[in-house]
Amino acid sequence: MGVPVASPGGSAAGGPADGAADAVGFAELVRLLAGRGVVVLSGAGLSTESGIPDYRGETGSRRRGTPMTYQEFTGGEAARRRYWARSHVGWRAIARAEPNAGHRAVEQLRRSGHVSAVITQNVDGLHRAAGTRTAVELHGGLHRVVCLTCRRTGSRAELDRRLELLNPGFRDGSARANPDGDAELPQELVEGFRIAPCPECGGVLKPDVVFFGESVPKPRVQRCFELVDSAQALVVLGSSLTVMSGLRFVRYAARAGTPVVIVNRGATRGDELAVARIDLPLGEALTEAVRRVRGGAGPA
Ligand SMILES: [Zn+2]
């Protein structure tokens, strides 16, 4: 599928077809990027082209299994054993994933000053892997673990080596990964899994991500509001804005009169707040946006 070419005053006005709407929206995206100071809010849809499934999906298909809540995780060792067993299998898919054309385009736009900041709802670390070290990871990152007792953070890769030594041959995997690094496993396998405590204090280790039932740390939320405050425009990339933690920034921008553009496969909860909606594959659309922003807006 090609990125539509906007045709000002031309065929874009010819009808309500999606292609025409996308062309108008895409032209608006390029215009806002050219104006600089754009803040990006990204979601799972940006990482699907890296092979990380979006459990809300283009078609609204549901995640396999229910994500563990913070209350379950902290409530007992059986739940934590289940979490880490499944995560030990699912982590490989996350660890092996590489940034795609969409992440690279965002980083190019950041380096050229067209994008001023990136906020991501993703925990896969792929913005950072693409070079966007300043990306604010709203829901944390799977590449870190945190001790719930002494609050020290550590590397997930290091924990992974410890778990592998404690559970040799555990992951031989037909299991399928969820975007939070979780995977489906039979109960008998889970019960035999050995979890690793904090190497410093023996406390409970948790991935440094915000679980369902847990709040995003206030300073991080505040930082995001400040970034949105300073934005010339807010561009949502690959999020259906299902959860309030992301949707609130879209509402906040819209209330302040800051234009919001949403690039996503399928409808989102923020659609009525957006000045433009683009339903296109992200890698292709963003690569084309970079080309047009750099080369000028193209022929009139
Ligand atoms: Zn500790």
Side-chain angles (χ1 to χ4, degrees):
M1 181 194 297
V3 171
V5 176
S7 47
S11 61
D18 286 341
D22 286 335
V24 172
F26 190 76
E28 181 64 5
L29 172 66
V30 170
R31 192 185 70 78
L32 290 169
L33 284 168
R36 296 175 174 267
V38 168
V39 169
V40 163
L41 172 64
S42 72
L46 187 62
S47 291
T48 52
E49 291 172 37
S50 293
I52 297 176
D54 173 1
Y55 58 83
R56 294 194 169 91
E58 297 184 26
T59 56
S61 60
R62 301 298 296 254
R63 180 186 197 277
R64 293 174 299 279
T66 309
M68 186 170 289
T69 65
Y70 181 76
Q71 289 71 21
E72 282 178 276
F73 185 87
T74 54
E77 182 151 325
R80 290 194 288 276
R81 187 181 310 285
R82 179 157 51 96
Y83 177 87
W84 282 116
R86 293 161 58 130
S87 178
H88 187 54
V89 173
W91 165 248
R92 279 194 304 189
I94 304 290
R96 287 176 181 173
E98 292 184 359
N100 64 55
H103 298 105
R104 290 194 294 273
V106 169
E107 172 59 10
Q108 286 175 306
L109 291 165
R110 189 197 62 80
R111 265 186 274 145
S112 59
H114 296 96
V115 164
S116 58
V118 176
I119 301 167
T120 186
Q121 299 171 275
N122 299 340
V123 294
D124 53 36
L126 291 178
H127 278 296
R128 284 167 184 266
T132 314
R133 310 297 301 177
T134 53
V136 178
E137 294 176 317
L138 188 60
H139 297 155
L142 281 171
H143 52 285
R144 288 183 310 275
V145 294
V146 60
C147 172
L148 294 181
T149 305
C150 72
R151 305 309 302 183
R152 281 189 182 86
T153 57
S155 138
R156 175 60 185 268
E158 196 274 328
L159 174 65
D160 190 63
R161 287 190 287 275
R162 291 173 61 207
L163 291 175
E164 190 60 38
L165 288 172
L166 287 168
N167 303 277
F170 185 84
R171 44 182 180 204
D172 51 5
S174 58
R176 297 176 67 192
N178 278 316
D180 48 4
D182 194 5
E184 302 295 297
L185 285 180
Q187 184 59 25
E188 62 271 19
L189 262 181
V190 169
E191 283 167 3
F193 192 76
R194 298 176 66 196
I195 57 179
C198 172
E200 301 290 337
C201 79
V204 169
L205 290 178
K206 173 183 163 293
D208 195 10
V209 298
V210 176
F211 276 44
F212 282 82
E214 189 180 7
S215 299
V216 178
K218 284 204 167 60
R220 198 183 297 164
V221 175
Q222 189 54 39
R223 170 79 183 129
C224 292
F225 276 121
E226 287 165 11
L227 291 173
V228 175
D229 257 336
S230 69
Q232 298 302 304
L234 180 64
V235 173
V236 177
L237 300 177
S239 174
S240 53
L241 300 169
T242 308
V243 292
M244 187 52 69
S245 68
L247 179 62
R248 60 184 156 182
F249 299 118
V250 171
R251 289 184 171 168
Y252 183 73
R255 269 201 305 274
T258 304
V260 174
V261 174
I262 298 175
V263 190
N264 189 60
R265 304 315 307 268
T268 85
R269 277 178 82 192
D271 285 356
E272 76 279 10
L273 301 172
V275 298
R277 268 275 302 138
I278 305 163
D279 193 331
L280 289 172
L282 282 154
E284 190 184 344
L286 292 170
T287 300
E288 177 64 11
V290 169
R291 198 184 67 74
R292 293 208 199 165
V293 167
R294 286 183 165 176

